[in-house]
Each structure stands twice: as structure tokens, then as C-alpha cells.
Amino acid sequence: MFFIYAAPNSKACDKAEFLLYTMGYNYRIYLYGIDYTLNQLQRLIPGTNTVPHIYHGTKYIGGIKELYEYLYEGQDSDRGRLSGSGATKSVFNLFPQNEQNTSNNSTRKE
């Protein structure tokens, strides 16, 4: 189970929750001012004054960037992206070369 130390109306905290929710992980959110105080957070993570702080069980993960890296560690980093050299070309090369551009367009003017 993941634990998120968050603050109300924090976009980064909302992103962390959304990421865990969409990936199907169990999580619990602790909200600043309701579930914990700044002093309690600083005892847990000395010197901090930002959120979110995320744990997986007792293992400290970090913030939203570290959570993303933790969840996607060891997976193909290019999966799902359309960036980088040749990425657009590969998206449109769904058919073998001899099958491309073989459609007969009757509205074309010659």
C-alpha cells in the first residue's frame, strides 16, 4: 500500500493520487492540517516543507517525479510516447510499403 502525505488543492498531490488510482494500486492519503501537522511531517522527513511525500509500505519513495520513476522502473521508456527521432514515421508505417498509397481517390483532379 502507498501512503501519500498531501495538502488540499495541491496539483502535484492530485497527480500522485491519479497515477496510483489509474494503475490500480491501493493508497491512503494523509492531508495537511487534517491528518498531520508541519511539525509531524518534519519529524518524518526532516527539513521539508513541500508535498507530496510518498511511501510504499515503509519505503520512502519521494515526490511525484520519484513516484513515476519508481512505478515505471525497468519498463520500456518509449512505450506510449510519440517523441524522438522517427517516432511519427513509425506510427504511420502501419502497413508494408507496397500496401501504402494504393487507394484510388476519385475526387482527385488531374
Side-chain angles (χ1 to χ4, degrees):
M1 176 174 276
F2 286 87
F3 301 97
I4 305 171
Y5 289 86
N9 302 318
S10 166
K11 289 182 182 184
C13 297
D14 291 344
K15 287 179 184 180
E17 179 182 11
F18 181 76
L19 183 60
L20 293 173
Y21 174 79
T22 56
M23 293 186 75
Y25 288 102
N26 292 324
Y27 62 91
R28 175 136 194 323
I29 297 177
Y30 298 101
L31 289 175
Y32 173 72
I34 298 170
D35 299 312
Y36 68 93
T37 65
L38 183 59
N39 288 337
Q40 290 170 324
L41 181 64
Q42 288 182 343
R43 276 187 275 164
L44 191 60
I45 303 130
T48 190
N49 59 0
T50 62
V51 290
H53 287 283
I54 304 160
Y55 284 83
H56 187 203
T58 58
K59 180 180 180 180
Y60 179 68
I61 304 301
I64 184 69
K65 180 182 175 186
E66 293 81 11
L67 175 63
Y68 184 83
E69 291 169 355
Y70 180 77
L71 293 175
Y72 288 98
E73 182 178 323
Q75 293 187 11
D76 183 7
S77 62
D78 287 334
R79 191 175 78 182
R81 289 196 298 174
L82 293 178
S83 61
S85 176
T88 304
K89 182 179 176 184
S90 67
V91 168
F92 294 105
N93 285 338
L94 300 175
F95 302 102
Q97 188 66 27
N98 60 354
E99 292 181 20
Q100 289 182 351
N101 299 324
T102 59
S103 65
N104 192 1
N105 189 349
S106 62
T107 60
R108 183 174 50 168
K109 293 183 180 181
E110 293 187 27

